[in-house]
């Protein structure tokens, strides 16, 4: 289960594919696109930290486009490599860490009323932890040769869920909109982690039963 239906994801793929092909004709490589995307994500974190919330939302949304492009280009150009996948995943985690650090700094630097700062910073830390755990559970499962693309809050949902509202509405009165989004991301991320744990448990038990019966 995902918050984005399959038809919407398919539509985005159809839009991104021609761009990936065009970048390929220019000689762009998937690793280069991953690097640019991570740089944009770092810039988004810096924008949030300095109070430019709408700019942060726009940059975050742009980083999501690069996140889609590198994988598409790797597949259509035959440049997909184990190192490329590792490099892209690592840069994503670095970028997300800086993004939530920037949001936490925004809260500390007057983004929310003083009484709300401890809770807001805690929410940002939990949202980051949840985001990293969502990625880790999938990577660990795939390391066991198990597919684990399940859960209500995957990377695309996290990016759009944070970038779209902040792009159009900023942080909201006294930063309450941004704080509400961060709290929601934290909650849904941990729900997704639980969903993935249960999925892997179910799959591994089914495999064990098959081996026992055979």
């Amino acid at each position: 289960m995902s918050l984005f239906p399959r038809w919407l994801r398919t539509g985005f793929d159809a839009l991104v594919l021609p761009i990936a092909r065009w970048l390929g004709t220019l000689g762009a490589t998937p690793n280069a696109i991953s690097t640019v995307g991570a740089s944009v994500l770092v810039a988004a974190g810096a924008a949030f930290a300095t109070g430019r919330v709408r700019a942060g939302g726009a940059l975050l949304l742009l980083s999501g486009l690069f996140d889609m492009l590198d994988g598409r280009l790797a597949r259509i150009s035959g440049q997909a490599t184990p190192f490329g996948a590792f490099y892209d995943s690592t840069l994503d985690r670095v970028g997300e860490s800086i993004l939530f650090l920037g949001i936490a700094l925004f809260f500390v630097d007057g983004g929310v009323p003083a009484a709300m700062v401890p809770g807001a910073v805690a929410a940002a830390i939990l949202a980051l932890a949840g985001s990293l755990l969502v990625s880790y559970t999938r990577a660990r499962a795939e390391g066991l040769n198990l597919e684990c693309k399940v859960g209500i809050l995957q990377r695309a949902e996290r990016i759009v869920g944070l970038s779209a509202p902040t792009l159009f509405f900023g942080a909201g009165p006294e930063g309450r909109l941004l704080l509400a989004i961060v709290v929601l991301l934290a909650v849904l991320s941990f729900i997704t982690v639980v969903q993935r744990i249960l999925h892997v448990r179910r799959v591994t038990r089914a495999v064990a039963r098959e081996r026992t019966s055979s």
Side-chain angles (χ1 to χ4, degrees), residues 7-8 25 30 66 109 137 161 176 184 192 196:
W7 64 266
L8 185 58
T25 63
F66 283 104
D109 198 30
T137 48
R176 293 177 187 274
L184 185 62
T192 302
R196 291 187 169 183

Side-chain angles (χ1 to χ4, degrees), residues 33-105:
I33 294 176
S34 296
T35 302
V36 173
S39 300
V40 174
L41 189 52
V42 168
F48 277 109
T50 53
R52 294 172 291 175
V53 175
R54 282 190 171 86
L59 289 167
L60 177 57
L61 195 59
L62 181 60
S63 75
L65 174 61
F66 283 104
D67 192 50
M68 297 176 69
L69 284 170
D70 55 10
R72 305 307 186 280
L73 177 59
R75 286 191 288 273
I76 65 176
S77 64
Q79 299 181 67
T81 64
F83 173 75
F86 168 81
Y87 181 69
D88 177 49
S89 180
T90 301
L91 287 184
D92 286 344
R93 305 294 82 76
V94 171
E96 284 187 303
S97 298
I98 294 175
L99 172 68
F100 283 104
L101 172 61
I103 292 174
L105 290 175

Side-chain angles (χ1 to χ4, degrees), residues 183-204:
V183 169
L184 185 62
L185 289 178
V187 172
L188 294 180
S189 292
F190 280 98
I191 290 175
T192 302
V193 170
V194 173
Q195 288 177 313
R196 291 187 169 183
I197 291 173
L198 294 176
H199 168 75
V200 171
R201 182 189 183 201
R202 182 170 58 253
V203 171
T204 52

Side-chain angles (χ1 to χ4, degrees), residues 132-145:
L132 296 178
L133 283 169
V134 167
S135 301
Y136 173 78
T137 48
R138 175 178 171 181
R140 189 68 185 93
E142 290 178 346
L144 299 171
N145 295 318

Side-chain angles (χ1 to χ4, degrees), residues 48-51 53 102-117 120-121 171-176 178:
F48 277 109
T50 53
V53 175
I103 292 174
L105 290 175
F106 169 76
F107 291 147
V108 170
D109 198 30
V112 295
M116 297 171 60
V117 170
V121 172
E174 298 185 320
R176 293 177 187 274
L178 179 57

